[in-house]
């Protein structure tokens, strides 16, 4: 079955540091890939997505590129802020499954950014 | 207007009780979901409905029963609550594979 593996946290950085959160996936078909963010006490928000190989998703300074050859979708940001402190989830859904767009999540990575 | 709204936001109840969580979406999406987030933040799908039809039922105890009266609503009823049911339950909706919209979650605590 499908699975997502992301680096375990927690990750602690200083403000303006470079961020990378690794994510790799296993899928039987042609997945779409996502990063979701969960701020403390809140629900999940879609951060960015990519629906085919070599697509780059970007939002709020975060980027991730869909790499089919390495089955990866690593999240990066050049300069993190305190307000980026949250839990980040990598996820995938298989395309072409009719109405069954089940999201499979990684275990989440807690990011803490210190001033 | 909230796109996906769940009620209640917090629910504290005793073991053995029966409780319901309600979810409504105003996005016109055809598919709705229930996810469970455990204490380690791990998210796992429980159920999915497409236009009132059950599509996904992932090895969930039959004490959990989803109901979808129409495609904008998906409720979750839980019988005979157990300590292990304590978690955050998220409702979500989607129209296609471009991603979900999640509700803000219901934190269930069973004591």
């Amino acid at each position: 079955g499908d699975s997502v593996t992301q680096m375990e946290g927690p990750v602690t950085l200083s403000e303006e540091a470079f961020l990378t959160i690794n994510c790799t996936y296993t899928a039987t078909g042609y997945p779409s890939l996502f990063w979701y963010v969960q701020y403390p006490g809140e629900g999940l928000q879609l951060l960015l997505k990519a629906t085919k190989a070599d697509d780059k998703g970007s939002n709020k300074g975060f980027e991730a590129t869909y790499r089919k050859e390495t089955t990866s979708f690593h999240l990066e940001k050049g300069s993190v802020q305190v307000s980026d402190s949250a839990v980040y989830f990598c996820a995938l859904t298989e395309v072409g499954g009719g109405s069954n767009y089940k999201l499979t999540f990684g275990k989440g990575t807690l990011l803490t950014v210190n001033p | 207007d909230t796109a996906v709204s769940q009620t209640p936001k917090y629910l504290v109840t005793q073991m053995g009780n029966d409780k319901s969580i309600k979810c409504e979406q105003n996005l016109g999406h055809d598919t709705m979901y229930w996810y469970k987030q455990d204490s380690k933040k791990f998210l796992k799908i429980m159920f999915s409905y497409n236009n009132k039809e059950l599509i996904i039922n992932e090895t969930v105890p039959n004490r959990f029963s989803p109901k979808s009266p129409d495609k904008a609503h998906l409720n979750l009823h839980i019988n005979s609550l157990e300590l292990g049911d304590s978690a955050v339950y998220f409702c979500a909706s989607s129209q296609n594979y471009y991603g979900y919209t999640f509700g803000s979650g219901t934190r269930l605590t069973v004591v």
Side-chain angles (χ1 to χ4, degrees):
Chain A
D2 298 344
S3 66
V4 176
T5 302
Q6 62 182 101
M7 63 187 278
E8 303 237 351
V11 173
T12 303
L13 296 172
S14 298
E15 211 164 20
E16 299 183 4
F18 184 85
L19 169 71
T20 299
I21 301 177
N22 290 337
C23 172
T24 56
Y25 67 89
T26 303
T28 53
Y30 303 97
S32 289
L33 303 174
F34 306 88
W35 278 100
Y36 281 85
V37 59
Q38 185 177 27
Y39 297 103
E42 297 185 12
L44 283 85
Q45 301 175 24
L46 178 63
L47 181 60
L48 53 85
K49 64 180 183 284
T51 57
K52 62 183 187 296
D54 300 325
D55 269 1
K56 177 186 281 189
S58 61
N59 186 25
K60 299 181 182 179
F62 291 90
E63 292 184 341
T65 301
Y66 188 144
R67 301 282 187 205
K68 190 175 179 183
E69 64 275 15
T70 54
T71 61
S72 64
F73 192 56
H74 304 321
L75 182 68
E76 295 182 339
K77 186 174 185 182
S79 175
V80 294
Q81 305 300 312
V82 172
S83 57
D84 294 327
S85 297
V87 180
Y88 292 82
F89 293 92
C90 186
L92 70 81
T93 190
E94 293 273 12
V95 179
S99 58
N100 179 5
Y101 297 118
K102 179 175 81 168
L103 264 180
T104 298
F105 286 92
K107 292 188 175 180
T109 302
L110 173 63
L111 170 67
T112 302
V113 180
N114 295 319
Chain B
D1 275 349
T2 304
V4 180
S5 58
Q6 301 178 223
T7 55
K9 191 171 176 63
Y10 299 97
L11 185 54
V12 181
T13 187
Q14 291 187 327
M15 280 175 53
N17 282 352
D18 303 338
K19 290 293 179 186
S20 292
I21 307 171
K22 296 186 176 183
C23 179
E24 176 182 5
Q25 56 99 359
N26 63 6
L27 298 167
H29 290 167
D30 285 336
T31 309
M32 296 184 72
Y33 311 81
W34 281 110
Y35 276 78
K36 180 180 180 180
Q37 185 174 46
D38 64 23
S39 59
K40 295 184 178 179
K41 300 287 190 183
F42 185 60
L43 282 150
K44 188 167 165 53
I45 192 167
M46 300 174 69
F47 300 104
S48 167
Y49 269 75
N50 179 264
N51 207 4
K52 301 193 296 176
E53 180 185 353
L54 181 65
I55 300 296
I56 298 174
N57 183 344
E58 291 270 317
T59 59
V60 177
N62 58 14
R63 298 183 294 105
F64 290 78
S65 53
K67 284 190 172 51
S68 182
D70 55 60
K71 76 172 194 177
H73 295 85
L74 180 61
N75 303 323
L76 183 65
H77 187 76
I78 315 169
N79 289 327
S80 303
L81 278 155
E82 300 176 357
L83 292 176
D85 298 332
S86 296
V88 181
Y89 293 85
F90 286 101
C91 178
S93 70
S94 73
Q95 186 60 24
N96 50 39
Y97 57 88
Y98 291 124
Y100 289 18
T101 301
F102 281 85
S104 57
T106 295
R107 182 174 294 277
L108 171 65
T109 303
V110 182
V111 297

